[in-house]
mmCIF file of all heavy atoms in Angstrom:
data_model
loop_
_atom_site.group_PDB
_atom_site.id
_atom_site.type_symbol
_atom_site.label_atom_id
_atom_site.label_comp_id
_atom_site.label_asym_id
_atom_site.label_seq_id
_atom_site.Cartn_x
_atom_site.Cartn_y
_atom_site.Cartn_z
ATOM 1 N N LEU A 382 21.167 -146.251 6.871
ATOM 2 C CA LEU A 382 19.875 -146.607 6.169
ATOM 3 C C LEU A 382 19.209 -147.747 6.917
ATOM 4 O O LEU A 382 17.960 -147.761 6.889
ATOM 5 C CB LEU A 382 20.173 -147.045 4.716
ATOM 6 C CG LEU A 382 20.759 -145.936 3.852
ATOM 7 C CD1 LEU A 382 20.967 -146.477 2.445
ATOM 8 C CD2 LEU A 382 19.818 -144.735 3.847
ATOM 9 N N ALA A 383 19.921 -148.593 7.618
ATOM 10 C CA ALA A 383 19.287 -149.646 8.414
ATOM 11 C C ALA A 383 18.463 -148.915 9.611
ATOM 12 O O ALA A 383 17.413 -149.336 9.936
ATOM 13 C CB ALA A 383 20.306 -150.582 8.919
ATOM 14 N N ILE A 384 19.125 -147.918 10.172
ATOM 15 C CA ILE A 384 18.465 -147.152 11.173
ATOM 16 C C ILE A 384 17.232 -146.502 10.667
ATOM 17 O O ILE A 384 16.191 -146.446 11.353
ATOM 18 C CB ILE A 384 19.437 -146.168 11.825
ATOM 19 C CG1 ILE A 384 20.563 -146.984 12.634
ATOM 20 C CG2 ILE A 384 18.736 -145.213 12.754
ATOM 21 C CD1 ILE A 384 21.657 -146.056 13.153
ATOM 22 N N VAL A 385 17.303 -145.907 9.520
ATOM 23 C CA VAL A 385 16.151 -145.272 8.899
ATOM 24 C C VAL A 385 15.007 -146.201 8.736
ATOM 25 O O VAL A 385 13.898 -145.891 9.121
ATOM 26 C CB VAL A 385 16.576 -144.745 7.492
ATOM 27 C CG1 VAL A 385 15.295 -144.258 6.746
ATOM 28 C CG2 VAL A 385 17.462 -143.517 7.611
ATOM 29 N N ARG A 386 15.284 -147.414 8.236
ATOM 30 C CA ARG A 386 14.161 -148.362 8.095
ATOM 31 C C ARG A 386 13.567 -148.783 9.481
ATOM 32 O O ARG A 386 12.393 -148.855 9.579
ATOM 33 C CB ARG A 386 14.680 -149.594 7.417
ATOM 34 C CG ARG A 386 13.593 -150.671 7.229
ATOM 35 C CD ARG A 386 14.055 -151.854 6.401
ATOM 36 N NE ARG A 386 15.114 -152.588 7.042
ATOM 37 C CZ ARG A 386 15.633 -153.690 6.571
ATOM 38 N NH1 ARG A 386 15.276 -154.190 5.397
ATOM 39 N NH2 ARG A 386 16.642 -154.315 7.269
ATOM 40 N N GLY A 387 14.409 -148.960 10.462
ATOM 41 C CA GLY A 387 13.978 -149.325 11.765
ATOM 42 C C GLY A 387 13.039 -148.250 12.371
ATOM 43 O O GLY A 387 11.979 -148.574 12.932
ATOM 44 N N ILE A 388 13.467 -147.004 12.211
ATOM 45 C CA ILE A 388 12.738 -145.895 12.783
ATOM 46 C C ILE A 388 11.364 -145.731 12.058
ATOM 47 O O ILE A 388 10.325 -145.622 12.706
ATOM 48 C CB ILE A 388 13.465 -144.546 12.727
ATOM 49 C CG1 ILE A 388 14.675 -144.591 13.643
ATOM 50 C CG2 ILE A 388 12.613 -143.376 12.998
ATOM 51 C CD1 ILE A 388 15.589 -143.390 13.551
ATOM 52 N N VAL A 389 11.363 -145.821 10.733
ATOM 53 C CA VAL A 389 10.170 -145.642 9.947
ATOM 54 C C VAL A 389 9.191 -146.803 10.265
ATOM 55 O O VAL A 389 7.977 -146.558 10.467
ATOM 56 C CB VAL A 389 10.474 -145.571 8.464
ATOM 57 C CG1 VAL A 389 9.189 -145.602 7.622
ATOM 58 C CG2 VAL A 389 11.276 -144.313 8.139
ATOM 59 N N GLU A 390 9.666 -147.987 10.320
ATOM 60 C CA GLU A 390 8.752 -149.153 10.610
ATOM 61 C C GLU A 390 8.226 -149.079 12.033
ATOM 62 O O GLU A 390 7.081 -149.531 12.355
ATOM 63 C CB GLU A 390 9.539 -150.500 10.346
ATOM 64 C CG GLU A 390 9.781 -150.730 8.889
ATOM 65 C CD GLU A 390 10.527 -152.046 8.672
ATOM 66 O OE1 GLU A 390 10.981 -152.637 9.643
ATOM 67 O OE2 GLU A 390 10.675 -152.479 7.471
ATOM 68 N N ALA A 391 9.031 -148.520 12.954
ATOM 69 C CA ALA A 391 8.507 -148.288 14.312
ATOM 70 C C ALA A 391 7.366 -147.328 14.320
ATOM 71 O O ALA A 391 6.496 -147.433 15.275
ATOM 72 C CB ALA A 391 9.632 -147.839 15.274
ATOM 73 N N HIS A 392 7.258 -146.506 13.351
ATOM 74 C CA HIS A 392 6.097 -145.553 13.244
ATOM 75 C C HIS A 392 5.005 -146.136 12.353
ATOM 76 O O HIS A 392 4.141 -145.396 11.949
ATOM 77 C CB HIS A 392 6.583 -144.210 12.653
ATOM 78 C CG HIS A 392 7.367 -143.427 13.669
ATOM 79 N ND1 HIS A 392 8.662 -143.567 13.930
ATOM 80 C CD2 HIS A 392 6.982 -142.359 14.494
ATOM 81 C CE1 HIS A 392 9.162 -142.715 14.802
ATOM 82 N NE2 HIS A 392 8.126 -141.941 15.210
ATOM 83 N N ALA A 393 5.068 -147.453 12.069
ATOM 84 C CA ALA A 393 4.044 -148.034 11.180
ATOM 85 C C ALA A 393 4.104 -147.436 9.809
ATOM 86 O O ALA A 393 3.080 -147.446 9.029
ATOM 87 C CB ALA A 393 2.674 -148.007 11.746
ATOM 88 N N GLY A 394 5.289 -147.023 9.401
ATOM 89 C CA GLY A 394 5.480 -146.481 8.036
ATOM 90 C C GLY A 394 6.246 -147.342 7.124
ATOM 91 O O GLY A 394 6.549 -148.557 7.450
#
Side-chain angles (χ1 to χ4, degrees):
L382 295 181
I384 291 173
V385 169
R386 180 174 65 177
I388 292 174
V389 172
E390 291 180 350
H392 287 82

